[in-house]
């Protein structure tokens, strides 16, 4: 029987401040896909505007009733959606719910997992119950800022600390706060991105990020990337304007690398993830009861739609593992058609 050439939609754009980042990820994913095996189109989402970019440079609207479009007078229906939208609606379960409704398989985890991991504060409380170490944090909701005072934050969380949107990406609205006077403006800044704001304990150590994907046939945990920046933290400029050094594999001990790999794989299974995820950690160096320095693994964030430009962490890690992105994406797509 002749193989059917599946039609793939690469979903990018979205309604968050990471719209432009997502478009670049979309182009990256498009470049990685096997065009001999698949018909691949980029679909740009912005509010109610969903359109397909055609090879001739024009665009046509998506019929959201069945996720199809017209090309040269012919109806084209998608077989699969590769979601690379950072933020809403692609990273919080909304787009996943749509694809469940129209019965189109997609690249990310399901609705519940996406909604859970999108809210950093809620997810941290959940994953802590499995014994995973996460920094202490407090939640502040828009309109209820006075419930938690600056003094309570300083006493419970300590200084310095991070203030970040609880329900959004990690590129915008994040501040490192060094004293209580900086809390109010940092919270206002974060609330421009999300009505829920998380104030998180600062953990000093080595920042790393590790990717993982699984299929019916294989479990792949990728080499970790170490993040070194002269900025206060790994913010937008560090990520996308070259103000960072990314070292893959990370300069951590073999024992620590093995432990982080086991934790990453375990979290993937706990959540019943699908497709590629990336987990960010801080490796802190603390003394045990005997006064010896040991590494402690602190989970910072789970990314269910990680960046996918040629220089993003995941492609770097795939190359370091001796794999290639085209084969990885093929494995992920075909896993859902067996």
């Amino acid at each position: 029987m002749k193989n059917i050439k599946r039609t793939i939609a690469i979903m990018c754009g979205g309604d968050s401040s990471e719209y432009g980042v997502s478009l670049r990820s979309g182009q990256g994913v498009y470049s990685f896909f096997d065009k001999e095996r698949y018909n691949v189109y980029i679909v740009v989402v912005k509010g109610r505007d969903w359109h397909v970019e055609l090879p001739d440079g024009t665009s046509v609207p998506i019929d959201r009733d069945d996720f199809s479009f017209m090309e040269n007078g012919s109806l084209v229906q998608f077989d699969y959606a590769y979601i690379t939208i950072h933020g809403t609606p692609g990273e919080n379960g909304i787009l996943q719910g749509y694809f469940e409704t129209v019965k189109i398989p997609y690249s990310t985890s399901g609705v519940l997992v996406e909604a859970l991991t999108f809210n950093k504060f809620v997810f941290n409380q959940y994953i802590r119950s499995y014994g995973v170490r996460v920094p202490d944090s407090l939640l502040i909701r828009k309109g209820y800022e006075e419930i938690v005072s600056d003094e309570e934050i300083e006493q419970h969380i300590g200084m310095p600390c991070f203030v970040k949107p609880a329900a959004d990406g990690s590129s915008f609205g994040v501040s490192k706060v060094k004293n209580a006077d900086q809390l109010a403006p940092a919270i206002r800044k974060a609330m421009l991105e999300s009505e829920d704001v998380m104030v998180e304990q600062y953990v000093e150590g080595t920042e790393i990020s590790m990717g993982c994907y699984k299929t019916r046939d294989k479990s792949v945990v990728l080499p970790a990337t170490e993040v070194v920046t002269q900025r206060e933290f790994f913010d937008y400029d560090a990520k996308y304007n070259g103000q960072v050094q990314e070292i893959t594999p990370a300069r951590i001990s073999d024992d620590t690398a093995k432990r982080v790999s086991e934790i990453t794989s375990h979290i993937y299974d706990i959540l019943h993830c699908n497709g590629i995820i990336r987990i960010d950690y801080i490796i802190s160096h603390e003394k045990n009861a005997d006064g010896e320095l040991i590494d402690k693994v602190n989970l910072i964030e789970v990314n269910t739609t990680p960046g996918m430009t040629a220089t993003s962490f995941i492609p770097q890690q795939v190359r370091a593992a001796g794999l290639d992105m085209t084969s990885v994406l093929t494995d992920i797509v075909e896993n859902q058609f067996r």
Side-chain angles (χ1 to χ4, degrees):
M1 181 177 175
K2 186 177 179 180
N3 287 334
I4 298 171
K5 195 172 184 181
R6 306 189 201 282
T7 301
I8 308 292
I10 299 173
M11 308 296 294
C12 58
D15 302 323
S16 78
S17 297
E18 295 192 77
Y19 176 87
V21 177
S22 174
L23 293 184
R24 295 203 291 275
S25 284
Q27 292 292 337
V29 173
Y30 182 87
S31 73
F32 297 136
F33 259 109
D34 184 349
K35 311 303 189 305
E36 296 297 318
R37 182 164 188 154
Y38 302 110
N39 299 311
V40 186
Y41 295 87
I42 290 179
V43 176
V44 179
V45 172
K46 182 71 171 176
R48 295 180 61 84
D49 176 20
W50 293 25
H51 63 266
V52 182
E53 295 185 347
L54 299 180
D56 63 5
T58 62
S59 64
V60 293
I62 288 279
D63 183 344
R64 288 194 294 272
D65 286 344
D66 60 359
F67 197 52
S68 66
F69 67 98
M70 299 297 296
E71 183 178 16
N72 299 323
S74 298
L75 179 69
V76 180
Q77 292 186 301
F78 286 110
D79 300 302
Y80 183 91
Y82 194 98
I83 301 172
T84 186
I85 292 175
H86 312 310
T88 188
E91 205 170 10
N92 57 0
I94 293 175
L95 198 56
Q96 288 77 9
Y98 165 77
F99 286 125
E100 293 286 350
T101 301
V102 296
K103 309 299 182 187
I104 300 288
Y106 51 89
S107 61
T108 69
S109 305
V111 175
L112 178 59
V113 174
E114 294 297 317
L116 175 64
T117 55
F118 189 64
N119 190 303
K120 301 177 184 70
F121 179 81
V122 173
F123 174 71
N124 280 5
Q125 311 319 307
Y126 174 80
I127 204 66
R128 181 183 274 124
S129 69
Y130 285 89
V132 177
R133 181 178 167 118
V134 297
D136 288 337
S137 58
L138 290 171
L139 183 68
I140 299 174
R141 288 203 163 102
K142 192 171 186 177
Y144 299 90
E145 294 91 336
E146 290 75 21
I147 289 179
V148 181
S149 69
D150 293 352
E151 291 74 18
E152 287 175 299
I153 292 173
E154 189 168 17
Q155 181 179 9
H156 182 71
I157 301 299
M159 295 291 164
C161 65
F162 282 106
V163 175
K164 57 181 71 173
D168 203 78
S170 55
S171 295
F172 296 92
V174 181
S175 301
K176 184 178 179 181
V177 171
K178 297 181 179 179
N179 58 68
D181 292 342
Q182 298 174 340
L183 280 169
I187 290 168
R188 287 195 295 270
K189 177 182 175 181
M191 282 184 177
L192 294 174
E193 306 294 331
S194 166
E195 292 193 350
D196 285 356
V197 171
M198 181 168 74
V199 182
E200 183 179 62
Q201 177 190 24
Y202 170 72
V203 178
E204 185 172 359
T206 302
E207 183 169 357
I208 66 168
S209 191
M210 180 174 280
C212 177
Y213 73 94
K214 301 189 181 190
T215 67
R216 289 178 175 84
D217 303 325
K218 63 183 71 173
S219 172
V220 180
V221 182
L222 299 169
T225 297
E226 180 181 348
V227 179
V228 182
T229 178
Q230 299 304 311
R231 297 182 65 81
E232 287 285 355
F233 59 95
F234 192 43
D235 61 2
Y236 181 88
D237 281 332
K239 289 180 183 179
Y240 303 111
N241 292 331
Q243 299 181 27
V244 67
Q245 183 182 10
E246 298 165 4
I247 302 166
T248 307
R251 298 171 300 182
I252 54 179
S253 70
D254 290 343
D255 286 346
T256 299
K258 181 181 178 183
R259 188 146 39 98
V260 176
S261 178
E262 291 170 349
I263 292 170
T264 300
S265 178
H266 185 48
I267 291 170
Y268 195 104
D269 293 341
I270 287 171
L271 296 173
H272 299 289
C273 288
N274 179 56
I276 302 175
I277 69 167
R278 197 192 81 226
I279 305 182
D280 301 336
Y281 301 94
I282 298 290
I283 308 301
S284 57
H285 315 290
E286 304 175 19
K287 289 184 178 180
N288 63 14
D290 298 323
E292 300 171 322
L293 274 178
I294 58 171
D295 289 346
K296 293 286 188 177
V297 181
N298 305 271
L299 184 147
I300 301 300
E301 184 177 351
V302 173
N303 300 274
T304 57
T305 62
M308 292 291 282
T309 68
T311 58
S312 294
F313 289 162
I314 293 298
Q316 286 184 49
Q317 294 172 13
V318 166
R319 290 192 295 270
L323 306 172
D324 71 274
M325 283 302 306
T326 297
S327 298
V328 169
L329 292 182
T330 298
D331 282 346
I332 288 169
V333 172
E334 294 304 314
N335 186 58
Q336 290 181 261
F337 291 98
R338 295 176 182 178

